[in-house]
Structure formats: structure tokens, C-alpha cells
Amino acid sequence: MAGWLAGRSPTRWGAACAIALLAASLAACGDDKAPVAKATLPVETETAVLTPVTNTVSLTGEVRARVESDLSFRVAGRIATRLVDVGDTVAAGQVLATLETTEQAAEVASATAGVQSAEATLRQATSAFDRQKELMKSGFTTQSSYDNASQALTAADSALKTAQANLSTAQQQLGYTELRADAAGTITTRNAETGQVVEAAQAVFTLAHDGARDAVFDIDEALLTDELKDKTLSISLLSNPAVHATGKVREVAPTIDSTTGTLRIKLAIQDPPPEMGLGTSVVGVGRFQSREVVTFPWQAFFSSGDSPAVWVLDPASRTVSLRPVVIDSYRSGKFVLRGGIAPGESVVTAGAQLLRPGQVVDPRPAEGQAL
């Protein structure tokens, strides 16, 4: 009882409760045939009133590139050289790292020899066919010999094309031992070192492309239950709030991160100032649509099982009942209801700990309210 009486006149509420308890005792000690009067407890009540509220949310995130790519070799091998590090600015096509090329160079040499051999065979087949062609004109050779020479020429030509294709493939494999930047940007992550053996498609670097920037925040999914007043949010540097820009919601992750239990939201920064570089910490401030809610002091809070509840007064019978409610949010000294109480209903705000369902009470208006 001391808890809900805090901040009120001890004489007033102590005397009221003492009178109520004394009345109950006298009724119990009287004539057994006399009717027993129900004891009434003094309580404070407050009438539910809808009030407009506008929530503001402040989030901390970081600046990232709109486009990021993981760069990897197309072939497996041991890294021979690493030419860049985290934070380096690179140009499109710049070599970032290389693999050892012993195997690929040997394949190129073998394929080159194959092309040279095929070219020699083709020259020989071409010469033989030309002779058979001239002899055929003068009638000094047979049709069979001419046909054989023609077939040999066709086969030699096909063999050369195959050898050239093999050489092109070998040269491509040799070229894949160089890891190049696919666009101009900044290296943000390095996942391998010189001498390390990497597999094909294993990420070696992460490249943040030059261009558009996003402010990335990880938020609680409960924030998405309310609609933003404006899709444009104010963004400022955490280290220097004077540096600010605006951001527009560009992307909301469709799933919750299983590790953090949060959703990722990306804001496109409009005309970011130079101070908002990659990786800088920023604060985003957004305002939700105004809505009407019912607010009560924390003393009115009760529970029904595992659910929040409040004691509601029936003005006709002056009895109370426990009703579950839906909490919208908690604030300093009060809580906000999303549902469960209609405007005009009276809720017990002091004395709730002494109540039971059907209890007859003596309602007193809370300070600042009329009964």
C-alpha cells in the first residue's frame, strides 16, 4: 500500500483505509443475523482520454557504399603477390594480387607448341593439295589421290583451329592468375595474405565502388509497426552533429538477422558531405506519423497472468474488474496503451495492489481530474 500512496497525503489516505477496515471489523463482530456490509476501499481513478503523440526514433549506423563487390580469383592457387591493402583507393582494371603461374605458364607453352605443330601440318597439307590440284587439271593423278589430299587439308585446318582454341584457353587461365578491380573504389576488406592457397571464387578483397553512399542501420522490427511521417530522415555525423545530410529509405531487409534479432535498413544519402566517408558513424533521426493513444501513470499497471492489465471501474456499481491491455510503449513515469481501454472509461491509478475482482471501492479523482 505504501507504494501507491507515495507522493500523496499520508493522513488522508491512511485515515480513509483505517475507516474502511474498521467498518469491516465492526460488521464482522455484530449480530450474526445482521447483514454484513461490504467494505469499500478508497482508490484514485483516472478517466481514459485520447491524446496525440508523435514518436521520434534515433538510430546509430555507418556509411557504406551503395555497391560493394567481393573480388576473387577464377582459378585456385597460391598467392604470389598482394599489391593493395585495406583503405587503398584503386582504379578499374588495376591488378590487386597475383597467383603463382608455374602450372598455367607450362600449359601456355604446351598449347603454343601445339599451334606451331598444327600450322606446320596445315602448310604441308596445303602444299600437297595444291600439287594434286594441278595434276588433276593435266590428268596426271587420280580422283582418289585428289580427294585424299583435300581431306588431309580439311583435317589439318580443323586441327589448327583446335590448337588455337587450346592456346586461347591456356592464356585465359594464365590471365586469371591476376586479380583485377572490377571498378574504381576503395578496398574495405582483405581476406588473404601472400603465400596463402586460395580456392576459385574464394573472396580475397571487398571493394566499395565509388559513387552513391548509403547509411546502414540495424533496427528492432518493432519500429516497423509504425509508419514514418516522412521517408526522408535527418543524418548527422556521430562525432560532429554539425555535419549533416538527408537520407531516404531505399531498402529494408526482408528477414531478421538470426544472430542479432534486428532488421537492416538502408538510407540513400542525398549529396553526402566529404566528411561522411566510408565507415564513419552516423546518427539517423526519423519521426513517425502522429497517432492517438491512452496514457496512464505507472501506478495503474497490473498484470493478469503473463499479460499486462489494469483495474477498470464500473461507475454504476462502483466495483472493479481486471482487464488485459495492449502496451504500446513505456515512458518515464507512465505507460502508453495501444488497445484494451476505450476513451471515457475509468482506471484505478492508486490502490490497485489491494483490489480483487468485484471489489467495491470508493473512487476518488486523481489530482487534476474531476470525479
Side-chain angles (χ1 to χ4, degrees):
M1 186 171 182
W4 69 272
L5 289 177
R8 297 173 175 80
S9 171
T11 303
R12 172 189 172 190
W13 288 102
C17 291
I19 293 172
L21 294 175
L22 179 61
S25 300
L26 291 176
C29 295
D31 188 352
D32 292 342
K33 295 182 180 180
V36 178
K38 290 186 178 179
T40 60
L41 290 178
V43 296
E44 276 194 2
T45 61
E46 186 173 316
T47 302
V49 178
L50 288 177
T51 56
V53 296
T54 301
N55 289 336
T56 300
V57 61
S58 180
L59 304 169
T60 301
E62 65 175 336
V63 177
R64 292 188 180 179
R66 175 76 56 82
V67 179
E68 292 184 339
S69 56
D70 290 332
L71 305 179
S72 58
F73 289 101
R74 297 189 182 186
V75 294
R78 184 186 301 275
I79 297 179
T81 59
R82 178 177 59 78
L83 305 177
V84 295
D85 207 342
V86 174
D88 289 349
T89 300
V90 299
Q94 180 178 335
V95 177
L96 309 179
T98 63
L99 296 176
E100 294 179 351
T101 61
T102 303
E103 181 180 349
Q104 288 79 10
E107 290 178 353
V108 170
S110 176
T112 301
V115 170
Q116 293 172 349
S117 176
E119 288 175 342
T121 302
L122 179 61
R123 287 194 297 269
Q124 184 179 8
T126 302
S127 178
F129 176 75
D130 290 341
R131 286 196 302 271
Q132 289 295 322
K133 186 177 180 180
E134 292 300 325
L135 291 173
M136 191 68 178
K137 290 179 180 179
S138 57
F140 291 106
T141 187
T142 63
Q143 184 66 42
S144 177
S145 298
Y146 175 81
D147 292 340
N148 289 339
S150 177
Q151 292 174 2
L153 177 61
T154 302
D157 183 62
S158 298
L160 176 59
K161 291 179 180 179
T162 301
Q164 290 172 336
N166 291 337
L167 176 59
S168 177
T169 301
Q171 289 172 337
Q172 284 183 344
Q173 294 295 310
L174 180 60
Y176 291 158
T177 61
E178 292 182 339
L179 180 59
R180 296 178 178 271
D182 59 350
T186 303
I187 301 297
T188 58
T189 306
R190 184 191 72 247
N191 299 315
E193 292 291 349
T194 302
Q196 180 177 337
V197 176
V198 294
E199 299 295 329
Q202 177 181 335
V204 177
F205 297 106
T206 298
L207 177 66
H209 294 203
D210 289 342
R213 295 286 184 262
D214 286 343
V216 181
F217 303 93
D218 292 325
I219 67 172
D220 189 280
E221 64 171 331
L223 293 176
L224 298 181
T225 58
D226 294 333
E227 183 179 356
L228 287 171
K229 183 178 181 180
D230 190 350
K231 296 297 183 182
T232 300
L233 281 73
S234 173
I235 301 174
S236 60
L237 280 181
L238 181 63
S239 59
N240 185 6
V243 179
H244 58 84
T246 57
K248 195 168 186 178
V249 177
R250 184 180 69 83
E251 178 183 310
V252 178
T255 57
I256 299 175
D257 188 306
S258 59
T259 304
T260 62
T262 58
L263 283 172
R264 176 154 293 182
I265 181 173
K266 297 181 180 180
L267 275 62
I269 304 177
Q270 301 175 3
D271 300 324
E275 294 85 351
M276 289 189 180
L278 293 175
T280 54
S281 297
V282 293
V283 176
V285 178
R287 292 174 175 80
F288 294 103
Q289 292 282 7
S290 178
R291 52 196 173 83
E292 293 186 328
V293 296
V294 176
T295 304
F296 288 109
W298 66 266
Q299 292 91 342
F301 185 87
F302 211 76
S303 62
S304 176
D306 295 331
S307 303
V310 295
W311 288 99
V312 180
L313 172 69
D314 181 354
S317 63
R318 298 206 168 190
T319 59
V320 293
S321 59
L322 191 60
R323 183 185 300 175
V325 292
V326 180
I327 300 295
D328 177 87
S329 60
Y330 296 94
R331 300 186 178 184
S332 178
K334 56 186 177 180
F335 60 98
V336 180
L337 297 183
R338 187 182 293 270
I341 298 297
E345 291 189 298
S346 295
V347 171
V348 176
T349 57
Q353 292 83 350
L354 303 176
L355 299 178
R356 65 180 185 275
Q359 173 79 48
V360 179
V361 298
D362 179 15
R364 314 289 176 87
E367 295 182 7
Q369 284 204 343
L371 183 62

